[in-house]
């Protein structure tokens, strides 16, 4: 196939409809879209169903008769707070009677669904994601007519998540029902079986529900908007994701990187990476992510649906690979899942399919009993954020097959127990999974009847006696686990019991041992020798074997990402054991645990995390004791120091009584000073350290002097003002001294620097203005200088003006208005300004724009907060993937930045007791401190709440209004043109 190079060249010649523009007025006819679908040789696509028979398809599953059940979602994008059964979403059943790849019969099962985004069948009915509930609609007689109204099994799923709504239902190998959740809001989930229980918070990640135990559990956390989940042939789960990396290896208890915000557990500290070694996006706006450089990358950053193919129609070369729909690229990406004993890597493989229909928006894909693959197409313009001009009249279901699939007509629900057990050896995993789920139902419903149990035990014994393959052993293990057989410890024949099965599996292959750990109901598992990072992760998820892990277990993992992941898994387990109760019960034992963690120093992740947790729970003395050990490696000691400092900043920490005995261990490293140890000493009030730093300012090399000056300003005392005065007189230290002015009020120094403004370099002038607008007394001096024309009013950047306006000083705001004009603009004014500039930002104007000049303007106006083409700050969203090609989008967000502000980027204004005003977005917050990221500080600012007079939650963007007011028309054109460009200039 060679990445379908020739076919992609054909794609580029198909005309304007293949360019991905949003100007197409209608989709291709369904038959034409299927016929022109670009597939590898030997494959073809048929239209299984299309509008008007199916519209807005968002989820699907396949019943034991091979019929396709599809959710049609009319609720999107507004999830309504209405009663179950009061909506208009539908569940429709499609049946292909003659096996020609097209449906012959359509049955509406449900037409009053509410906020439906996921579906699965089983246990005599239909499970549906129906925000704010997980509901069950009974159909125990199987006549395709609900027996009654839907029943809520879980409640509390948020209605505020929009396209990040909770979604997707899939039966796992263990008999649990799995689903996913997005990032934009947090749900508080309760089981209706235990309504008085404390709600369980859930946002981005994977969750699961047990159909007979009625239990809800978060399974793993992270990502952005997971919308696809499947298991490979050895039962390892992978979920697909939008915006950041596209696939994650979902092991129990994992915490993955997120697009924004903090993990629900504040003590996680270190988040796992994606298992992918690539991304499917080469930069640029989403509707240009087709063709050229994007073909090899994969087409775009937004993914939906996940299928690990294990059917029997596609050739074996396609088996056990991960397929996910690339929404922006209008294609199906493929990853090879390469596993070893320590972990998995998802590696880029050839794209499976490419659509030339500009309306194609794939949602989910799934193989059925004939091995061919169903592909849902939402079929609309725009991306997942497009909430206007929704085309509710469109929708398609394609079927992709290799050659002519073998028609299957049957009903597994009518199979005997033994026939279903025999299907556990079928090549097509659809039969295996469906049969297992039916046997699980029967085992639960016929608990008093021992005949099925006896057949299951007999099948297990016969399988294990036949020298089975790993897959056969695993399938029998999953079957017994799903049917509850591993929970039973006795068997009337005395042949085998659940404990025997677990013990036997613990002596099997790596994947058998992994599943034995997952399925065991015992509190203590039989121990096994292991050098496998994957198996250790499973133990850690159960909080076991922590004490037996040695540095060699970690260091023997050659791949750095796998080694990091093992340590992260270990921390997630250890974190639970380092708590106030454990310390109160047995502090020496906790100290011993932390000391052992600190020995794992390649990398010293656990040392840093343990130190952070100890400080957070008020037991920094244990961290100091462990870090002060002379036997600790420099790497681990520095990691612990770094962790302590991160969590101590902004908190009052007393100098420990035994500090003199350990001081040198922290501060000195041979003949040099350890800056981490020195900052720790300063933070805890070591007067000797302060004196040493002050004396070094004039004698140390430039880098050390700047570092020490910054440290002294971070922890000021009565003498810091004189240190700042000294620094301002020294050209090499002046910028650091100017920044120090914002931390310590030195009015005479500020006045002197204002008087010397014209003699300062441009960087020094910027640093001075940023310092001056941080305090009302300074700002008044600056306005004095502007009014007397000693300084030009143009120094007042939009950020500086906004910062002064937030000071709360009414006299200052009045003076500012006289100099700068009306700071606030009305909505009407903004709309007029947008319309005026839209007439100016034409294709003709962009064609002759000065892009290098536009880049410089971007660096001046935007880069402190935003990334574009990989360069810039992280304070605001990365603009590379936004809707940059729309001039209206550009103007609305620049001129009216507060129209829609994601919660992660809403500004807070902090006023300190000593008069400082700080504007920024919150990185983290607890009872004692707040951590802010500001546009003017490269490092995060940690502010003790005891030093804060007022915190204002503005609900506004940190991005100031009137950002374009000081630019000429040509400069605005240059900036907008660069903003839309696909390359650096």
């Amino acid at each position: 196939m060679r990445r379908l190079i020739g076919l992609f060249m054909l794609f580029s010649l198909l005309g304007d409809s293949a360019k991905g523009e949003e100007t197409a007025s209608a989709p291709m006819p369904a038959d034409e879209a299927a016929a022109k679908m670009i597939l590898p040789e030997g494959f073809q696509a048929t239209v299984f169903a299309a509008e008007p028979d199916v519209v807005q398809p968002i989820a699907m599953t396949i019943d034991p008769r091979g019929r396709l059940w599809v959710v049609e979602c009319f609720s999107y994008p507004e999830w309504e707070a209405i009663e179950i059964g009061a909506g208009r979403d539908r569940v429709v059943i499609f049946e292909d009677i003659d096996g020609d790849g097209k449906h012959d019969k359509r049955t509406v099962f449900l037409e009053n669904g509410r906020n439906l985004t996921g579906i699965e069948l089983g246990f005599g009915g239909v499970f549906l994601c129906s925000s704010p509930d997980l509901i069950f609609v009974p159909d125990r007689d199987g006549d395709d007519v609900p027996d009654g109204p839907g029943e809520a099994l879980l409640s509390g799923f948020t209605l505020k998540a929009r396209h990040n709504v909770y979604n997707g239902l899939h039966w796992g190998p263990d008999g649990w029902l799995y689903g996913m959740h997005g990032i934009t809001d947090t749900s508080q989930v309760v089981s209706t079986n235990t309504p008085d229980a404390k709600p369980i918070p859930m946002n981005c990640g994977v969750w699961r529900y047990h159909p007979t135990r009625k239990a809800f559990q978060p399974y793993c956390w992270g990502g952005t908007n997971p919308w696809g989940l499947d298991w490979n042939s050895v039962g390892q789960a992978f979920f697909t994701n939008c915006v950041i990396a596209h696939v994650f290896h979902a092991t129990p208890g994992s915490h993955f990187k997120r697009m924004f915000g903090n993990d629900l557990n504040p003590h996680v500290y270190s988040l796992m990476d994606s298992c992918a070694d690539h991304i499917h996006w080469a930069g640029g706006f989403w509707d240009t992510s087709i063709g050229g450089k994007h073909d090899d990358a994969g087409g775009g950053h937004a993914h939906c649906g996940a299928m690990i193919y294990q059917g029997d129609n596609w050739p074996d070369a396609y088996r056990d690979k991960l397929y996910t729909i690339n929404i922006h690229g209008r294609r199906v990406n493929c990853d090879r899942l390469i596993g070893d004993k320590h972990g998995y890597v998802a590696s880029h493989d050839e794209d499976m399919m490419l659509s030339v229909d500009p309306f194609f928006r794939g949602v989910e894909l799934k193989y059925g009993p004939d091995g061919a693959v169903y592909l849902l197409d939402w079929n609309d313009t725009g991306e997942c954020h497009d909430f206007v001009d929704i085309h509710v009249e469109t929708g398609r279901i394609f079927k992709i097959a290799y050659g002519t699939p073998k028609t299957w007509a049957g009903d597994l629900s009518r199979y005997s127990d033994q026939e279903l057990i025999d299907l556990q050896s079928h090549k097509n995993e659809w039969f295996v999974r469906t049969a297992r789920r039916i046997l699980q139902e029967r085992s639960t419903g016929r608990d008093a009847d021992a005949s099925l149990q006896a057949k299951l035990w007999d099948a297990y014994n016969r399988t294990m006696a036949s020298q089975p393959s790993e897959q056969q052993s695993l399938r029998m293990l999953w079957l017994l686990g799903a049917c509850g057989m591993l929970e039973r410890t006795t068997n009337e024949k005395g042949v085998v019991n659940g404990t025997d099965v677990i013990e036997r599996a613990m002596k099997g292959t790596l994947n058998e041992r992994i599943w034995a750990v997952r399925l065991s109901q015992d509190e203590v598992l039989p121990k096994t020798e292991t050098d496998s990072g994957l198996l250790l992760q499973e133990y850690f998820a159960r909080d076991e074997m922590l004490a037996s892990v040695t540095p060699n277990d970690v260091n023997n993992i050659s791949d750095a990402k796998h080694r990091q992941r093992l340590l992260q898994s270990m921390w997630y387990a250890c974190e639970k054991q380092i708590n106030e109760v454990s310390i109160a019960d047995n502090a020496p034992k906790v100290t011993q645990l932390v000391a052992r963690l600190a020995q794992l120093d390649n990398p010293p992740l656990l040392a840093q995390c343990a130190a952070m947790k100890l400080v957070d729970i008020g037991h920094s003395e244990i961290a100091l004791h462990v870090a002060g050990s002379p036997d600790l490696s420099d790497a681990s000691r520095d990691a612990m120091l770094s962790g302590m400092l991160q969590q101590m900043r902004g908190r009052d920490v007393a100098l420990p009584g035994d500090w003199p005995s350990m001081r040198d261990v922290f501060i000195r490293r041979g003949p040099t000073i350890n800056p981490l140890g020195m900052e720790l000493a300063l933070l805890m009030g070591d007067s000797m350290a302060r004196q040493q730093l002050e004396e070094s300012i004039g004698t140390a090399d430039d880098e050390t002097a700047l570092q020490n000056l910054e440290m002294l300003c971070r922890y000021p005392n009565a003498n810091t003002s004189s240190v700042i005065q000294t620094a301002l007189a020294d050209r090499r230290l002046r910028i650091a001294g100017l920044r120090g002015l914002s931390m310590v009020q030195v009015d005479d120094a500020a006045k002197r620097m204002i008087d010397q403004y014209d003699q300062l370099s441009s960087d020094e002038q910027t640093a001075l203005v940023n310092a001056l607008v941080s305090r009302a007394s300074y700002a008044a001096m600056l306005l004095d200088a502007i009014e007397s024309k000693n300084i030009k009013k143009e120094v007042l950047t939009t950020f500086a003006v906004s910062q002064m306006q937030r000071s709360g000083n009414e006299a200052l705001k009045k003076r500012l208005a006289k100099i700068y004009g009306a700071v606030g603009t009305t909505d009407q004014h903004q709309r007029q300004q947008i319309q005026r500039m839209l007439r100016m930002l034409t294709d003709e104007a962009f064609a002759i724009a000065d892009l290098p000049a536009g880049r410089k303007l971007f660096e001046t106006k935007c880069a402190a907060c935003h990334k574009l083409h990989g360069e810039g700050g992280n304070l605001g969203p990365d603009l590379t993937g936004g809707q940059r090609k729309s001039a209206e989008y550009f103007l609305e967000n620049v001129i009216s930045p507060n129209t829609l502000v994601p919660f992660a980027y809403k500004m807070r204004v902090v006023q300190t007791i000593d008069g400082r005003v700080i504007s920024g977005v919150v990185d983290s917050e607890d009872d004692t401190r707040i951590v802010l990221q500001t546009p003017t500080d490269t490092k995060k600012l940690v502010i003790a709440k005891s030093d804060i007079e007022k915190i204002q939650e503005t609900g506004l963007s940190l991005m100031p209004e009137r950002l374009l007011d000081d630019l000429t028309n040509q400069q605005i054109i240059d900036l907008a043109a660069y903003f839309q460009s696909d390359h650096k200039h």
Side-chain angles (χ1 to χ4, degrees):
M1 240 175 3
R2 299 303 178 202
R3 191 158 304 287
L4 306 175
I5 292 176
L7 295 177
F8 282 137
M9 291 178 64
L10 172 64
F11 176 77
S12 67
L13 299 174
L14 289 175
D16 290 342
S17 64
K19 294 179 182 177
E21 73 282 4
E22 290 305 302
T23 57
S25 59
M28 276 186 175
D31 287 335
E32 182 182 355
K36 290 185 175 180
M37 202 173 275
I38 299 172
L39 293 160
E41 185 177 353
F43 287 84
Q44 66 277 330
T46 57
V47 181
F48 182 77
E51 67 275 350
D53 294 323
V54 63
V55 292
Q56 304 279 103
I58 200 169
M60 64 176 164
T61 191
I62 302 170
D63 72 10
R65 294 165 56 182
R67 301 182 305 169
L68 191 68
W69 292 57
V70 177
V71 169
E72 295 180 320
C73 179
F74 298 97
S75 301
Y76 175 85
E78 301 295 343
W79 314 114
E80 295 184 271
I82 56 178
E83 296 297 319
I84 295 172
R88 58 193 184 99
D89 294 350
R90 287 196 296 246
V91 176
V92 186
I93 308 168
F94 293 95
E95 187 172 1
D96 178 6
I97 297 173
D98 57 13
D100 64 351
K102 301 179 180 180
H103 84 282
D104 305 299
K105 183 179 179 181
R106 175 182 180 272
T107 304
V108 177
F109 173 78
L110 186 74
E111 57 185 352
N112 60 351
R114 171 202 63 178
N115 306 332
L116 301 185
T117 53
I119 182 171
E120 195 49 275
L121 306 173
F123 293 84
V126 184
F127 296 87
L128 291 165
C129 293
S130 176
S131 298
D133 306 311
L134 172 69
I135 68 172
F136 179 78
V137 180
D139 180 23
R140 292 180 176 85
D141 56 7
D143 65 351
D144 300 335
V145 178
D147 297 341
E151 170 197 359
L153 304 175
L154 299 172
S155 292
F157 288 104
T158 178
L159 292 167
K160 300 178 182 178
R162 305 202 86 178
H163 64 281
N164 273 232
V165 68
Y166 103 107
N167 68 89
L169 295 176
H170 307 272
W171 289 110
D174 49 10
W176 288 72
L177 186 62
Y178 287 75
M180 290 152 285
H181 197 294
I183 195 172
T184 54
D185 198 37
T186 299
S187 296
Q188 300 291 336
V189 185
V190 294
S191 171
T192 55
N193 192 51
T194 54
D196 296 330
K198 184 179 179 180
I200 299 172
M202 183 75 210
N203 59 24
C204 54
V206 178
W207 54 269
R208 64 181 186 173
Y209 173 78
H210 199 278
T212 58
R213 300 176 200 162
K214 310 295 184 184
F216 170 83
Q217 294 177 354
Y219 186 76
C220 62
W221 296 261
T224 302
N225 187 20
W227 203 295
L229 176 70
D230 203 358
W231 289 259
N232 69 1
S233 60
V234 295
Q236 291 293 332
F238 298 82
F239 72 83
T240 51
N241 181 75
C242 284
V243 181
I244 55 177
H246 64 279
V247 60
F248 293 86
H249 177 203
T251 50
S254 302
H255 295 260
F256 297 105
K257 288 185 175 177
R258 306 158 52 95
M259 180 186 178
F260 55 74
N262 297 311
D263 192 274
L264 291 177
N265 180 350
H267 304 305
V268 165
Y269 306 129
S270 178
L271 299 175
M272 290 178 172
D273 276 318
S274 161
C275 63
D277 63 2
H278 63 290
I279 58 173
H280 288 145
W281 175 43
F285 181 49
W286 67 268
D287 72 355
T288 64
S289 296
I290 297 175
K293 64 179 181 179
H294 299 287
D295 282 342
D296 283 337
H301 72 250
H303 301 79
C304 205
M307 176 188 73
I308 299 176
Y309 186 77
Q310 297 175 73
D312 57 355
N313 169 254
W314 290 12
D316 286 346
Y318 295 86
R319 193 172 182 85
D320 230 15
K321 293 179 179 179
L322 172 74
Y323 299 88
T324 183
I325 300 161
N326 192 300
I327 299 172
H328 299 164
R330 304 203 308 268
R331 67 190 69 194
V332 175
N333 295 138
C334 175
D335 282 1
R336 287 174 289 120
L337 300 175
I338 304 168
D340 64 21
K341 63 183 180 179
H342 298 309
Y344 278 84
V345 174
S347 187
H348 199 189
D349 210 334
E350 296 165 340
D351 291 331
M352 176 64 201
M353 182 279 289
L354 187 63
S355 172
V356 300
D357 179 5
F359 268 54
F360 178 82
R361 296 296 181 269
V363 177
E364 190 174 4
L365 63 176
K366 192 180 292 285
Y367 56 89
D370 63 0
V373 173
Y374 294 100
L375 174 60
L376 292 189
D377 176 11
W378 180 261
N379 205 251
D380 204 344
T381 57
E383 57 174 342
C384 54
H385 301 268
D386 188 9
F387 302 133
V388 296
D389 298 328
I390 305 300
H391 293 74
V392 297
E393 73 283 359
T394 54
R396 283 88 187 271
I397 305 170
F398 298 103
K399 195 169 183 181
I400 300 175
Y402 182 80
T404 302
K406 297 178 181 178
T407 301
W408 179 82
D411 185 352
L412 294 191
S413 65
R414 298 181 180 274
Y415 278 34
S416 69
D417 293 344
Q418 191 58 54
E419 288 174 319
L420 293 172
I421 292 171
D422 292 343
L423 284 176
Q424 297 306 293
S425 61
H426 202 289
K427 181 178 181 179
N428 186 338
E429 184 74 11
W430 179 85
F431 287 96
V432 179
R433 295 179 180 183
T434 308
R436 180 170 61 235
R437 193 256 300 159
I438 296 171
L439 287 167
Q440 179 185 2
E441 296 171 18
R442 293 180 182 180
S443 177
T444 303
R446 292 161 49 185
D447 193 60
D449 183 357
S451 62
L452 175 55
Q453 298 171 28
K455 290 172 185 174
L456 290 168
W457 288 127
D458 181 64
Y460 172 77
N461 285 321
R462 285 188 290 105
T463 299
M464 300 312 292
S466 66
Q467 297 184 331
S469 66
E470 179 184 62
Q471 185 175 68
Q472 290 173 313
S473 297
L474 284 170
R475 285 176 170 180
M476 290 309 301
L477 189 61
W478 296 334
L479 179 60
L480 293 181
C483 292
M485 306 300 289
L486 303 184
E487 302 172 24
R488 301 180 176 93
T489 57
T490 60
N491 177 29
E492 67 279 0
K493 294 184 178 181
V495 177
V496 71
N497 60 43
T499 303
D500 294 335
V501 174
I502 294 297
E503 289 180 351
R504 185 168 191 169
M506 291 299 291
K507 299 175 183 176
T509 66
L510 169 62
N511 289 301
E512 290 175 72
R513 286 183 283 166
I514 285 172
W515 272 99
V517 174
R518 289 186 185 178
L519 294 173
S520 173
Q521 301 299 310
D522 297 332
E523 292 186 7
V524 180
L525 285 167
K527 300 301 181 185
T528 180
E529 294 296 324
T530 178
D531 60 353
S532 163
L534 275 178
L535 185 56
L536 282 173
Q537 287 180 54
E538 299 294 333
Y539 276 112
F540 297 161
R542 293 176 56 109
D543 302 338
E544 293 189 13
M545 289 190 72
L546 292 171
S548 61
V549 177
T550 68
N552 282 340
D553 291 321
V554 177
N555 296 338
N556 286 340
I557 301 176
S558 58
D559 183 89
K561 287 186 70 174
H562 290 342
R563 188 165 63 246
Q564 174 92 351
R565 183 180 171 115
L566 176 63
L567 290 170
Q568 289 167 322
S569 296
M570 191 174 184
W571 171 245
Y572 303 153
C574 289
E575 181 269 320
K576 304 167 193 172
Q577 300 185 18
I578 302 174
N579 56 62
E580 294 183 33
V581 174
S582 298
I583 293 171
D585 289 345
N586 195 337
K589 184 177 180 180
V590 174
T591 302
Q592 185 180 22
L593 170 63
V594 174
R596 191 172 59 78
L597 298 180
Q599 295 296 325
L600 301 170
D601 59 0
N602 185 22
L605 171 72
L606 297 176
Q608 181 168 0
C609 290
M612 294 171 76
K613 177 70 183 286
L614 286 166
V615 173
D616 276 350
I617 62 175
H619 286 281
S620 55
E621 75 282 355
I622 295 178
L624 286 167
H625 176 80
V626 174
S629 169
D631 298 328
L632 205 63
S633 70
D634 288 343
S636 284
R637 181 174 294 109
D638 283 354
M640 293 197 74
L641 287 169
S642 177
M644 284 188 279
L645 286 168
Q646 285 184 53
Q647 306 311 104
M648 284 180 175
R649 292 175 184 134
R651 291 186 170 127
D652 292 327
V653 183
L655 200 64
D658 57 350
W659 175 253
S661 65
M662 62 177 75
R663 186 179 191 277
D664 282 352
V665 175
F666 288 120
I667 292 181
R668 300 207 64 84
R669 181 180 291 168
T672 62
I673 297 295
N674 184 349
L676 293 170
M678 182 63 82
E679 183 178 354
L680 179 68
L682 192 64
L683 182 150
M684 293 192 301
D686 185 333
S687 58
M688 291 176 60
R690 180 172 296 279
Q691 182 179 352
Q692 190 173 351
L693 287 172
E694 290 176 355
E695 292 174 351
S696 74
I697 296 297
T699 59
D701 61 82
D702 290 359
E703 183 178 351
T704 303
L706 285 168
Q707 176 181 270
N708 293 350
L709 175 59
E710 181 182 298
M711 209 180 296
L712 287 166
C713 292
R714 189 180 299 164
Y715 307 102
N717 72 351
N719 193 49
T720 307
S721 59
S722 64
V723 174
I724 291 174
Q725 297 266 25
T726 301
L728 292 174
D730 188 336
R731 175 70 72 176
R732 65 193 182 115
L733 303 176
R734 186 170 293 154
I735 288 181
L738 290 167
R739 290 173 182 156
L741 279 177
S742 65
M743 301 179 191
V744 180
Q745 185 162 346
V746 194
D747 287 347
D748 56 339
K751 178 65 170 64
R752 186 170 66 254
M753 298 314 297
I754 290 173
D755 292 342
Q756 297 175 15
Y757 183 85
D758 288 339
Q759 302 167 31
L760 302 179
S761 69
S762 60
D763 288 342
E764 290 169 348
Q765 290 174 345
T766 299
L768 174 60
V769 171
N770 287 337
L772 294 175
V773 298
S774 70
R775 294 177 181 273
S777 63
Y778 292 169
M781 297 179 198
L782 175 59
L783 295 184
D784 287 343
I786 291 173
E787 287 170 343
S788 62
K789 302 189 182 304
N790 292 327
I791 294 179
K792 295 179 180 179
K793 69 176 183 179
E794 283 73 21
V795 305
L796 293 179
T797 64
T798 50
F799 173 78
V801 171
S802 299
Q803 179 76 349
M804 283 194 283
Q805 190 186 29
R806 297 179 199 121
S807 67
N809 187 308
E810 294 302 321
L812 195 67
K813 288 199 286 186
K814 288 179 180 178
R815 293 182 65 190
L816 181 64
K818 288 181 180 180
I819 297 171
Y820 196 80
V823 176
T825 54
T826 65
D827 291 341
Q828 179 64 27
H829 175 84
Q830 290 174 341
R831 285 194 293 270
Q832 291 173 351
Q833 191 177 18
I834 290 170
Q835 291 304 313
R836 178 179 63 81
M837 291 188 179
L838 272 176
R839 293 192 291 271
M840 181 175 70
L841 299 181
T842 63
D843 290 342
E844 292 76 13
F846 285 159
I848 58 174
D850 186 340
L851 293 180
R855 178 179 181 178
K856 289 181 180 179
L857 287 166
F858 178 84
E859 291 170 349
T860 302
K861 293 281 187 181
C862 315
C865 300
H866 297 280
K867 270 192 172 67
L868 182 63
H869 304 312
E871 294 183 352
N874 295 312
L875 186 57
D878 188 328
L879 300 177
T880 316
Q883 299 184 44
R884 293 185 297 109
K885 295 296 179 181
S886 166
E888 188 168 6
Y889 174 85
F890 167 77
L891 292 173
E892 285 179 349
N893 281 274
V894 173
I895 293 174
S896 183
N898 297 310
T899 301
L900 181 61
V901 187
F903 74 87
Y905 302 115
K906 288 183 178 179
M907 174 183 60
R908 291 201 203 179
V909 179
V910 174
Q911 294 186 22
T912 63
I913 292 171
D914 68 347
R916 189 178 179 194
V917 178
I918 308 161
S919 303
V921 295
V922 176
D923 178 78
S924 62
E925 182 179 6
D926 58 31
D927 292 339
T928 60
R929 64 184 196 153
I930 186 168
V931 182
L932 291 179
Q933 183 70 66
T934 78
T936 56
D937 295 280
T938 56
K939 295 182 179 179
K940 296 170 185 175
L941 293 182
V942 184
I943 309 162
K945 287 195 170 175
S946 59
D947 293 333
I948 295 175
E949 181 176 304
K950 184 171 69 171
I951 300 177
Q952 181 185 0
E953 297 186 12
T954 67
L956 302 176
S957 169
L958 190 64
M959 183 172 170
E961 296 182 341
R962 301 186 63 173
L963 195 66
L964 304 180
D965 282 13
D966 60 343
L967 300 184
T968 65
N969 287 351
Q970 186 58 52
Q971 285 177 316
I972 293 170
I973 292 169
D974 294 342
L975 175 60
Y978 177 69
F979 183 70
Q980 290 195 10
S981 67
D982 289 326
H983 306 285
K984 301 174 186 176
H985 293 272

